Amino acid sequence: MKIKEIRELLGAELLCGEEYLDNDVFSACCSDMMSDVLAYVKDQGVLLTGLVNPQVIRTAGMMDMVCIVFVRGKEPTEEMIELASDCGIVVMKSRYRAYEACGHLYTAGLVPAPEDK
Amino acid sequence: MPENVTFHFDVDGENFTSAGEASVMVKKKLRQLGLPPEVIRRVSIAMYEGEINMVIHADGGDADVTVTDDEVIIVLSDRGPGIPDVGLAMQEGYSTARDNIRSLGFGAGMGLPNMKKYTDSMEIETEIGVGTKITMTVKL
């Protein structure tokens, strides 16, 4: 799935990373616990979260994720958007709640990656 | 690589907002050195977990990363309270982080186990009231 399709499916507002919208992603995860993202995620390109702090961006960067969607209309700070730009990460925000947002993406074929063993 | 490359960072423990900055810098530098992506990923995750731990538990500390011909060595030293029971701290899910840390997305008790998982070796030297030094290596 292309990142621009995620934006369309979630009616999301793009906050940075327009140049990467045609890039493909193959899986996604959703969590407010960055500890869990660090422990369980592998090869997931997209992070959906309702947590808003700079560690969301840094965690995604450490995990080589390429797109972050803030759900429930959560608004990242300018500093976070700058950090994401610097790391080459697409950031968008959607009005959907986490469960709904995941449902839309899953139904459209964006599935979780196998758990890292 | 003709000689070892070293990086040093002071990890600020005063402000959680900056937690993880050193790891972001290390990741960039390892990319510039042209190390394999999987090595960079493993070093980044292990160091990031350790850096977050230093901020949460020990008011910051020092991070030193050395790249040699055949491995990356990460040394994290703090002057925090020390770890009373390392065996317990290594158990997945065990955490002494306060609720305010959990509200920031950390403190699930996965930090130390995850650092061990992503590295080829991990050694913990800790003394109550003196501090903790963690040395991790990732082979190239």
Side-chain angles (χ1 to χ4, degrees):
Chain A
M1 181 182 289
K2 294 204 181 296
I3 295 176
K4 66 182 178 189
E5 293 178 70
I6 294 174
R7 182 174 66 164
E8 288 160 15
L9 285 163
L10 300 182
E13 180 184 336
L14 183 71
L15 301 173
C16 74
E18 189 166 13
E19 62 270 43
Y20 307 116
L21 285 179
D22 279 322
N23 289 1
D24 286 304
V25 289
F26 302 97
S27 60
C29 72
C30 177
S31 182
D32 288 352
M33 273 306 270
M34 295 303 107
S35 287
D36 285 347
V37 174
L38 287 161
Y40 299 115
V41 166
K42 191 181 186 194
D43 299 333
Q44 265 121 325
V46 184
L47 171 64
L48 296 98
T49 188
L51 182 71
V52 179
N53 65 34
Q55 281 69 35
V56 172
I57 313 291
R58 295 194 186 109
T59 301
M62 291 300 123
M63 303 306 288
D64 297 326
M65 300 176 108
V66 295
C67 175
I68 301 169
V69 181
F70 289 98
V71 296
R72 305 196 297 274
K74 297 271 183 166
E75 190 85 50
T77 62
E78 279 300 317
E79 182 203 6
M80 290 168 61
I81 294 170
E82 271 177 39
L83 188 57
S85 289
D86 195 39
C87 295
I89 297 172
V90 179
V91 176
M92 55 183 91
K93 65 170 181 176
S94 169
R95 293 210 62 76
Y96 285 120
R97 294 176 184 180
Y99 181 71
E100 277 182 293
C102 292
H104 283 295
L105 297 185
Y106 194 99
T107 305
L110 194 65
V111 296
E115 208 171 280
D116 187 16
K117 296 290 181 192
Chain B
M1 210 173 294
E3 56 189 58
N4 296 349
V5 180
T6 61
F7 309 109
H8 173 80
F9 301 92
D10 292 318
V11 176
D12 179 9
E14 297 291 312
N15 183 0
F16 189 81
T17 303
S18 63
E21 276 182 351
S23 302
V24 172
M25 289 296 295
V26 164
K27 184 161 192 168
K28 276 186 190 164
K29 288 179 183 295
L30 297 185
R31 274 191 180 143
Q32 286 165 6
L33 289 173
L35 297 191
E38 188 56 26
V39 169
I40 296 175
R41 176 186 160 85
R42 292 171 62 204
V43 170
S44 303
I45 296 171
M47 178 169 169
Y48 184 65
E49 290 275 23
E51 186 183 352
I52 297 282
N53 269 352
M54 283 205 292
V55 174
I56 292 174
H57 298 289
D59 293 330
D62 295 295
D64 292 280
V65 178
T66 305
V67 184
T68 72
D69 281 341
D70 54 3
E71 63 185 1
V72 181
I73 306 160
I74 309 146
V75 181
L76 305 173
S77 309
D78 67 57
R79 290 164 297 282
I83 305 170
D85 185 336
V86 173
L88 196 55
M90 285 302 298
Q91 284 181 18
E92 291 189 3
Y94 178 81
S95 175
T96 57
R98 297 183 304 276
D99 283 348
N100 64 326
I101 296 301
R102 292 202 177 82
S103 72
L104 294 167
F106 293 92
M110 294 303 295
L112 285 172
N114 216 23
M115 288 156 71
K116 188 173 176 64
K117 180 173 113 178
Y118 281 104
T119 53
D120 290 304
S121 74
M122 181 168 97
E123 185 185 339
I124 302 174
E125 299 162 68
T126 186
E127 194 174 338
I128 300 301
V130 177
T132 298
K133 179 181 175 185
I134 297 186
T135 305
M136 297 177 282
T137 62
V138 174
K139 293 192 187 307
L140 298 183

